[in-house]
């Protein structure tokens, strides 16, 4: 991962702040049931980076979200931050939620995964009327 810059991210309240490379090994949008149930969102965007390259201030709470997965979040504001499992740990990787980066445009997802679990209406969400701010 030569030639990368470090970018910052944080939880909503700022109690957990982190720095990571701006180049992900893999970046995805995930539609799995576990991501959806944990976040309450129809999908999550993830950036996979070497775990040793992530530096953090603050201590996230970790819980087992499934038999194999562990998710880290801020126990003060509830913001989800990181995901890992045995395979990622074996590879020395961690997944970071792209949307919690100070500049979420810094890393764009390169693929969609777990599309078998995608909510049906997500297939046509791009056709819905769009407003820059909530309409009055």
């Amino acid at each position: 991962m030569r030639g990368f810059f470090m970018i910052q991210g944080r939880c909503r309240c700022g109690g957990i702040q982190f720095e990571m490379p701006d180049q992900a090994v893999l970046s995805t949008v995930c539609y799995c049931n576990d991501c959806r149930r944990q976040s309450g969102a129809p999908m999550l965007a993830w950036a996979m980076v070497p775990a040793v390259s992530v530096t953090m201030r603050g201590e996230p709470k970790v819980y087992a979200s499934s038999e194999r997965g562990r998710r880290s979040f801020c126990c003060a504001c509830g913001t989800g931050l990181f995901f890992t499992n045995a395979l990622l740990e074996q590879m020395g990787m961690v997944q970071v939620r792209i949307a919690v980066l100070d500049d979420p445009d810094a890393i764009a997802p390169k693929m969609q995964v777990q599309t078998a679990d995608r909510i049906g209406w997500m297939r046509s969400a791009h056709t819905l009327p769009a407003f820059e701010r909530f309409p009055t």
Side-chain angles (χ1 to χ4, degrees):
M1 296 187 62
R2 292 177 180 241
F4 64 87
F5 295 98
M6 298 302 281
I7 55 176
Q8 289 76 42
R10 65 180 181 87
C11 65
R12 177 71 177 111
C13 72
I16 299 173
Q17 299 176 20
F18 64 91
E19 191 173 69
M20 62 177 268
D22 68 343
Q23 295 178 21
V25 173
L26 180 66
S27 55
T28 64
V29 170
C30 182
Y31 298 97
C32 80
N33 292 326
D34 193 36
C35 282
R36 188 177 74 243
R37 292 264 181 211
Q38 189 277 326
S39 68
M43 63 184 178
L44 288 178
W46 295 103
M48 183 190 307
V49 296
V52 297
S53 69
V54 179
T55 58
M56 194 175 340
R57 287 193 318 260
E59 187 68 34
K61 176 87 173 165
V62 178
Y63 81 101
S65 62
S66 66
E67 186 177 308
R68 292 175 264 174
R70 288 175 304 291
R71 294 175 185 268
S72 301
F73 65 98
C74 175
C75 62
C77 67
T79 302
L81 300 164
F82 310 106
F83 174 82
T84 191
N85 60 26
L87 179 59
L88 287 169
E89 288 174 358
Q90 185 179 17
M91 296 183 326
M93 298 290 168
V94 64
Q95 299 235 51
V96 179
R97 284 193 185 183
I98 293 173
V100 299
L101 296 174
D102 291 348
D103 178 8
D105 284 323
I107 299 177
K110 302 288 190 224
M111 69 174 70
Q112 300 178 65
V113 298
Q114 302 296 90
T115 58
D117 293 341
R118 181 172 43 202
I119 298 171
W121 52 260
M122 280 300 296
R123 290 181 187 90
S124 61
H126 67 283
T127 67
L128 296 172
F131 302 89
E132 288 190 20
R133 301 282 181 240
F134 197 83
T136 55

